[in-house]
Amino acid sequence: MLLAASTHFLITVPTSPSHNHTKKSYRLHSHTTTSSKSNQVSDSKSTSIIINDPSRTCECFDLYKELVPYDKAWDWQKQIVEEKKALVEKNQDCQDTLIILQHHPVYTLGTASSEEYLNFDIKDAPYDVYRTERGGEVTYHGPGQLVMYPIINLRNHKMDLHWYLRALEEVVIRVLSSTFSIKASRLEGFTGVWVGDKKLAAVGIRVSQWITYHGLALNVNTDLTPFHSIVPCGIRNRQVGSIKGLLGEFQPPTGCGKAGVLHSNDCQLIDITHSSLIKEFSEVFQLEILHKTIPMSEFEDTTPRRSLTWKLT
């Protein structure tokens, strides 16, 4: 069933999220998927090309300070994808969307991920485990990690999944270079962004009729301990890193790390990284960002969390 643009979306978010890692009972959640071993999964059907609109815009739902439950964000993405596909089928304009947020601790697997990369009994998982329709292997999401979900119509950019993956990586590489003077790169044969042998950003996407969803996750000041319970992205003998960890390794005499950034506290580091991500995303994809805010007065700290209805208009 196609959802109209005025459809309401139900999501639960805490006002003052706790960053404590608490053990949860096992749940393996899955949606209907198709098999693939790549970090990209596509069921694209269209091959026509639409000329780019030079004044195109991107609505941005900016929840970067909030911990949003993974399943709620996942459902939200799929709803927006269906709305955009309906517009495309009617030959109507399809505005791009960007969601940026943090998640409660969770493990996610790609559509063809192997459970051999889980270093725990799946019946006694430390956190909830979700099998999704994105490409790639298992990864961890949690507080201190900024997650970007671009839901864009590649007809208005470039209908090339390899180009899209490289563009997402380019956003992170630019952020690390321009904001933190950290030289990051790609690693041949792998997806994501690396500094030496440490992976700072994971990328896994799904593309449906040239509409993208899922996206990238950048470790800012993430507690990396939960990564020890998995083989991140199915890559053995490689490490996972964070911006905070790298900045902590830099000494002022080396000239690494810009003034005002090296000694930033965790909240400031998230703020700085978030602003840079938005800026670089806008430049790489040549999109004007239109922020859609949700008043903080809408959030109440209750136990259990209160459901909020958000209207996507």
Side-chain angles (χ1 to χ4, degrees), residues 80-291:
I80 295 174
V81 168
E82 292 305 311
E83 292 171 355
K84 293 187 187 303
K85 286 162 64 174
L87 291 173
V88 169
E89 289 176 2
K90 297 176 183 177
N91 293 318
Q92 297 181 8
D93 290 337
C94 179
Q95 184 184 41
D96 290 337
T97 300
L98 175 65
I99 300 171
I100 182 167
L101 44 71
Q102 298 179 56
H103 283 306
H104 293 281
V106 64
Y107 292 114
T108 69
L109 297 88
T111 184
S113 293
S114 172
E115 293 180 11
E116 70 178 273
Y117 296 127
L118 304 179
N119 297 330
F120 53 78
D121 183 347
I122 199 168
K123 295 181 179 180
D124 188 28
Y127 307 112
D128 285 351
V129 179
Y130 289 85
R131 182 175 291 279
T132 76
E133 67 277 88
R134 66 162 173 80
E137 287 290 347
V138 62
T139 194
Y140 165 79
H141 297 304
Q145 181 191 78
L146 288 176
V147 181
M148 296 183 73
Y149 293 129
I151 307 173
I152 64 177
N153 182 4
L154 289 180
R155 297 173 180 83
N156 294 333
H157 297 270
K158 190 172 182 179
M159 296 165 68
D160 182 326
L161 302 189
H162 293 287
W163 169 85
Y164 179 59
L165 287 171
R166 303 294 83 79
L168 291 179
E169 293 166 346
E170 181 66 19
V171 170
V172 177
I173 290 171
R174 290 189 182 193
V175 167
L176 295 174
S177 175
S178 65
T179 303
F180 303 104
S181 294
I182 295 174
K183 185 178 180 180
S185 62
R186 301 172 179 88
L187 192 62
E188 186 175 358
F190 298 102
T191 303
V193 176
W194 303 74
V195 178
D197 66 348
K198 294 181 178 179
K199 188 172 187 178
L200 266 67
V203 178
I205 66 170
R206 174 82 179 189
V207 180
S208 178
Q209 298 180 33
W210 297 111
I211 305 295
T212 72
Y213 59 119
H214 294 285
L216 68 86
L218 173 60
N219 297 325
V220 182
N221 49 41
T222 323
D223 176 7
L224 302 181
T225 305
F227 284 102
H228 299 162
S229 296
I230 60 174
V231 179
C233 304
I235 305 173
R236 301 186 186 276
N237 303 319
R238 298 282 181 175
Q239 301 179 53
V240 175
S242 68
I243 294 176
K244 180 179 180 180
L246 288 176
L247 292 179
E249 295 174 4
F250 295 150
Q251 299 299 321
T254 67
C256 297
K258 294 191 175 181
V261 172
L262 188 61
H263 301 293
S264 296
N265 63 32
D266 285 354
C267 291
Q268 290 173 329
L269 192 57
I270 288 286
D271 291 343
I272 291 168
T273 308
H274 156 263
S275 296
S276 186
L277 278 170
I278 297 293
K279 173 181 177 294
E280 300 299 344
F281 178 86
S282 173
E283 293 184 0
V284 169
F285 287 93
Q286 291 294 289
L287 289 168
E288 178 185 359
I289 304 298
L290 302 179
H291 288 271

